[in-house]
């Protein structure tokens, strides 16, 4: 394997491991009758498609949402396997395997929800690690993660009451509500920087990454309106 291929392989390996669960959810939602074969099919799909040299570049060239390309690729891969199996073993009916399938929108939303959880989880993991390695130029950087977690994450994900800035000023030894607000703003910037990086690792090109970020933000907004 050449150096270029090796350089491409590392992020692809991470991509497969990180997004395995969303792919599995999509596969099972699309083909409920393949529950016992899901792991094998995903492994074959990863080896035959995702991990092949040049595959990620091909995905990027579409300049659309990477998730859409991935879903279409996985569905076509499984359908091809089913067609081959049906040809070799006529009693295995493709129609039976796909009967009573969920609506396409519901399947796509289940995949997008798990994908969003994975992207956000990885983003927050990196942000926390970043904030807990304070630099000499920002001695208070270690507090940024705690502020972000208390003021934003807990209310959003756990329904906690939003802690007033007055309490946060005392907790973190800040000077004023403006000081607390600026610290939270720094947290938002760090979060956005890591979110952009996580998305660019799989979306690749700027246009595709921008579409992914916009789609993720719109999806989260739709979820928030349901609460």
């Amino acid at each position: 394997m050449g150096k270029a291929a090796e350089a491409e392989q590392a992020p692809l390996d991470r991509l497969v491991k990180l997004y395995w669960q969303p792919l599995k959810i999509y596969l099972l939602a699309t083909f409920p009758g393949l529950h016992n074969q899901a792991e094998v099919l995903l492994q074959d799909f990863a080896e035959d498609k995702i991990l092949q040299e040049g595959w990620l570049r091909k995905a990027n060239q579409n300049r659309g949402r990477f998730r859409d390309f991935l879903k279409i690729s996985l569905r076509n891969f499984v359908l091809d396997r089913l067609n081959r199996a049906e040809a070799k073993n006529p009693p295995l009916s493709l129609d039976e395997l796909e009967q009573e399938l969920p609506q396409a929108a519901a399947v796509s939303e289940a995949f997008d929800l798990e994908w969003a959880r994975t992207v956000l989880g990885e983003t927050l993991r990196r942000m926390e690690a970043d904030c807990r390695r304070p630099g000499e130029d920002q001695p208070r950087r270690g507090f940024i993660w705690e502020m972000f977690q208390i003021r934003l994450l807990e209310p959003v994900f756990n329904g906690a009451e939003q802690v007033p800035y007055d309490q946060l000023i005392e907790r973190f030894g800040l000077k004023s509500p403006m000081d607390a607000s600026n610290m939270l703003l720094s947290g938002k910037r760090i979060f956005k920087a890591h979110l952009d990086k996580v998305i660019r690792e799989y979306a690749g090109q700027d246009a595709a990454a921008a579409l992914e970020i916009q789609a993720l933000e719109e999806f989260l907004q739709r979820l928030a309106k349901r609460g």
Side-chain angles (χ1 to χ4, degrees), residues 132-223:
R132 293 192 185 283
R133 290 194 297 267
E136 294 180 2
D137 58 331
Q138 286 187 296
R140 298 190 309 173
R141 191 176 177 87
F143 291 148
I144 292 178
W145 166 254
E146 295 181 54
M147 171 72 79
F148 189 81
Q149 187 175 36
I150 294 171
R151 183 75 181 180
L152 290 182
L153 298 185
E154 287 297 325
V156 170
F157 292 111
N158 298 323
E161 293 292 332
Q162 197 167 57
V163 179
Y165 275 132
D166 289 345
Q167 295 182 27
L168 296 174
I169 291 171
E170 182 178 354
R171 175 167 181 164
F172 297 115
L174 303 176
K175 298 177 181 179
S176 66
M178 180 62 70
D179 199 14
S181 178
N182 287 337
M183 179 178 285
L184 183 61
L185 181 60
S186 294
K188 291 179 179 180
R189 288 170 177 164
I190 295 171
F191 172 81
K192 184 63 163 56
H194 283 292
L195 176 63
D196 289 354
K197 186 173 181 180
V198 169
I199 289 177
R200 290 180 194 283
E201 284 179 2
Y202 69 77
Q205 299 189 27
D206 290 344
L211 285 174
E212 283 290 334
I213 293 170
Q214 179 182 354
L216 180 60
E217 290 174 346
E218 291 174 352
F219 183 72
L220 293 175
Q221 289 173 0
R222 290 200 302 272
L223 290 180

